[in-house]
Amino acid sequence: MDFGVVLQTNPPAARAVQLAQLAEAHGFSHVWTFDSHLLWEEPYVIHSAILNATKRITVGPFVTNPATRDWTVTASVFATLNEMYGNRTICGIGRGDSAVRVTNGKPVTMAELRESIHVIRELANSRPVEYKGATLQFPWSKGSELEVWVAAYGPMALKLTGEVGDGFILQLADVDIAAWMIKTVRDAAAAAGRDPDAISFCVAAPMYIGDDWQHMRDQCRWFGGMVGNHVADIVAKYGEHGAVPEALTAYIEGRHGYDYNTHGKADNDHVDFVPDEIVDRFCILGTADEHIAKLEQLRALGVTQFAGYLQHDSKEETLRVYGETVIPALSAHVTAKT
């Protein structure tokens, strides 16, 4: 299992670079950042600084979208970073959440998401692509490599992920829900004639090492609110029963609106509807042994990367314990099994 960290690009930008360096030193393979150009600083500028300050870490957005950025510009960014720093970028993409909603926009359609994945991937892999009636290719790009991982929750998005994604991003660490969603993606891949084992499966959730459960829960409760935005869309489209597990949909009954100005922040003041049970299920909290036990369950489902959000007050300590205990334990387990 690989390990990543998910950072917000809050000022000062040097702080994100510092945390990325620390993550690399502790054995993490990926650094991901939020991508909402109004709420936080421009991620790709900071990605360049991170790549310049590290040696092996892979960097990408978590996640970008096809609505707020021209697809060819997005592809150019990745191809340029790869030329500058070697092939150390990755693209996480979804239909659009905070980046589009703060401008009163809407998530893109499945058809638009599918086409954008194709255009971005082909161009950023130094290949030609048909786009708006023209054949496009970066004449300066040679040997660039980029995988596109798709963030999804709903049935249609999961199906699309299995059909075209290089990887699947699931932003919650509930074992039962992860099992259902991973199976849905794998089944869609098989139905499309793809090898399900060729798809990477990334589970992302807040990770907090500690023993004060109420404090940890309060620091990570924002995550249930963030997930609730996507769940609300699913419920609005499919209803409360049948389309996805009720373990995912039931808790949003008390949700009333959402303020993106505190999106992804520990001091989010409008997530009281998220119960402790959901925080415990969606996040990975507790001692190193408790983290290892839950990660072992996720790995057994086929999860190939865990990406931990660090929007809390114990960033360095969590990274340290992961580097010294959690990551080696998962690596040792895999080695012993082979």
Side-chain angles (χ1 to χ4, degrees):
M1 179 183 283
D2 290 333
F3 290 85
V5 296
V6 187
L7 307 175
Q8 282 184 344
T9 53
N10 296 304
R15 174 62 166 155
V17 177
Q18 178 192 45
L19 288 170
Q21 290 175 306
L22 192 58
E24 181 176 67
H26 284 308
F28 289 79
S29 61
H30 289 68
V31 169
W32 304 88
T33 70
F34 285 52
D35 177 11
S36 289
H37 58 290
L38 290 172
L39 297 176
W40 304 290
E41 293 183 313
E42 172 58 33
Y44 294 121
V45 176
I46 298 173
H47 290 179
S48 187
I50 290 173
L51 289 165
N52 187 58
T54 57
K55 295 180 179 179
R56 60 171 181 79
I57 213 85
T58 296
V59 179
F62 210 82
V63 297
T64 194
N65 70 86
T68 56
R69 300 181 184 275
D70 181 273
W71 308 347
T72 63
V73 174
T74 296
S76 180
V77 168
F78 288 115
T80 300
L81 290 174
N82 284 341
E83 187 279 321
M84 293 173 67
Y85 302 109
N87 290 318
R88 294 169 56 200
T89 65
I90 190 167
C91 178
I93 194 168
R95 294 176 60 212
D97 182 35
S98 60
V100 298
R101 296 186 193 273
V102 294
T103 57
N104 292 322
K106 295 181 179 180
V108 301
T109 66
M110 291 297 169
E112 289 172 314
L113 178 59
R114 182 186 298 269
E115 185 182 5
S116 72
I117 292 168
H118 176 66
V119 170
I120 292 168
R121 181 163 50 205
E122 294 308 293
L123 287 174
N125 280 278
S126 304
R127 297 190 291 260
V129 69
E130 295 296 318
Y131 180 59
K132 293 184 177 180
T135 300
L136 306 178
Q137 186 171 11
F138 299 137
W140 46 266
S141 178
K142 309 294 181 184
S144 177
E145 296 177 4
L146 179 77
E147 289 192 354
V148 181
W149 292 12
V150 186
Y153 289 105
M156 291 178 63
L158 294 170
K159 180 175 182 291
L160 179 148
T161 302
E163 291 171 348
V164 303
D166 295 309
F168 167 45
I169 294 171
L170 171 58
Q171 295 174 80
L172 56 81
D174 182 281
V175 175
D176 293 335
I177 295 172
W180 179 83
M181 291 194 174
I182 289 171
K183 181 180 185 302
T184 302
V185 171
R186 292 178 66 89
D187 288 349
R194 302 182 69 203
D195 179 5
D197 293 333
I199 299 174
S200 298
F201 291 91
C202 174
V203 159
M207 57 179 181
Y208 197 123
I209 295 286
D211 55 16
D212 184 340
W213 276 86
Q214 196 55 53
H215 180 74
M216 290 188 293
R217 287 166 178 153
D218 290 342
Q219 285 285 301
C220 299
R221 199 175 306 277
W222 64 267
F223 186 65
M226 186 184 80
V227 173
N229 297 327
H230 302 283
V231 175
D233 286 344
I234 294 170
V235 171
K237 184 176 180 64
Y238 297 100
E240 296 182 12
H241 309 287
V244 295
E246 289 194 25
L248 179 60
T249 61
Y251 82 98
I252 67 163
E253 291 179 358
R255 178 181 182 270
H256 300 286
Y258 190 81
D259 181 1
Y260 278 93
N261 289 311
T262 52
H263 185 62
K265 297 182 182 298
D267 60 356
N268 190 316
D269 59 1
H270 50 278
V271 292
D272 291 344
F273 71 92
V274 181
D276 288 349
E277 177 195 4
I278 287 295
V279 181
D280 295 351
R281 291 175 63 179
F282 283 15
C283 304
I284 301 187
L285 313 175
T287 64
D289 286 344
E290 287 169 315
H291 283 243
I292 291 167
K294 190 165 186 179
L295 288 167
E296 289 282 16
Q297 290 181 283
L298 292 168
R299 190 191 64 81
L301 297 177
V303 173
T304 57
Q305 180 179 150
F306 170 65
Y309 288 88
L310 281 178
Q311 284 68 56
H312 56 63
D313 61 3
S314 188
K315 298 176 178 63
E316 283 85 356
E317 177 65 6
T318 294
L319 288 174
R320 181 189 69 80
V321 175
Y322 261 72
E324 294 180 2
T325 305
V326 178
I327 294 176
L330 270 293
S331 300
H333 182 89
V334 172
T335 301
K337 294 280 286 187
T338 58

